[in-house]
Amino acid sequence: MNRLVTSALAMACVAMSMPGVADDKYPAIEKEKPGISKPGDVSPPVAQAMVDDVNLGTAVAADGQIPAKSRTDSFVPGEVIHLTMDVSDAAPGTIVKVVWVGPEDQRIGEQRETVSSGASTLKFTKDGTKAWKAGDYRAEVWVGDEKVNDERFNIVSARSASN
């Protein structure tokens, strides 16, 4: 019985340490560091647990969240893109990084925010998108040296009636 429980726990840890690897056709722009003994190293399960509810949208409410009516994965050139996430499980001082990636895996920019004491939400804002061409984009979310989320979005020439 103990061997069965141990095996199940080991498999769960492996599965948690590889979020989205099996279906992630986009390789990470940043490189993860092997091991967890150097500064900035975070174990994959710990990093994954720190960030939740990542959303993209066109507006942010007073509570720091993107309202449901403003959530979208399609933006027009020049539109400000907001990305928010729940960081209530992250320790104060944790650095969260967003790497903005354009078509053909072109790195567009990077932003870093530090989780402050008592914070439950982090907000990233990307403006200056007027020159962005239509296509597939993504925002990689990193905690330490671990990629914990990959939000995909599109730049479109005009917003459709359904958005």
Side-chain angles (χ1 to χ4, degrees), residues 60-124:
V60 177
D63 66 359
Q65 296 290 330
I66 296 175
K69 66 180 181 178
S70 298
R71 291 182 187 167
T72 184
D73 61 0
S74 295
F75 300 87
V76 295
E79 194 166 37
V80 175
I81 301 170
H82 299 281
L83 183 142
T84 63
M85 64 193 74
D86 181 333
V87 293
S88 53
D89 292 330
T94 299
I95 297 173
V96 178
K97 173 174 67 174
V98 172
V99 178
W100 300 92
V101 183
E104 300 179 23
D105 291 330
Q106 185 82 22
R107 183 189 190 109
I108 297 170
E110 174 183 310
Q111 295 172 300
R112 294 174 190 258
E113 293 289 335
T114 303
V115 176
S116 59
S117 181
S120 61
T121 303
L122 274 186
K123 176 182 80 168
F124 293 83

Side-chain angles (χ1 to χ4, degrees), residues 98-154:
V98 172
V99 178
W100 300 92
V101 183
E104 300 179 23
D105 291 330
Q106 185 82 22
R107 183 189 190 109
I108 297 170
E110 174 183 310
Q111 295 172 300
R112 294 174 190 258
E113 293 289 335
T114 303
V115 176
S116 59
S117 181
S120 61
T121 303
L122 274 186
K123 176 182 80 168
F124 293 83
T125 301
K126 187 65 177 160
D127 53 7
T129 64
K130 190 170 186 157
W132 287 15
K133 295 180 174 29
D136 297 328
Y137 291 74
R138 71 182 188 275
E140 295 180 356
V141 179
W142 292 76
V143 174
D145 69 328
E146 297 295 330
K147 184 171 112 175
V148 297
N149 197 296
D150 199 19
E151 286 296 309
R152 294 183 180 101
F153 62 97
N154 298 298

Side-chain angles (χ1 to χ4, degrees), residues 17-19 21 24 28-35 41-44 141-149:
S17 71
M18 300 175 63
V21 170
D24 192 3
I29 291 296
E30 298 288 306
K31 299 295 180 208
E32 295 181 15
K33 301 173 199 166
D41 288 347
V42 180
S43 73
V141 179
W142 292 76
V143 174
D145 69 328
E146 297 295 330
K147 184 171 112 175
V148 297
N149 197 296

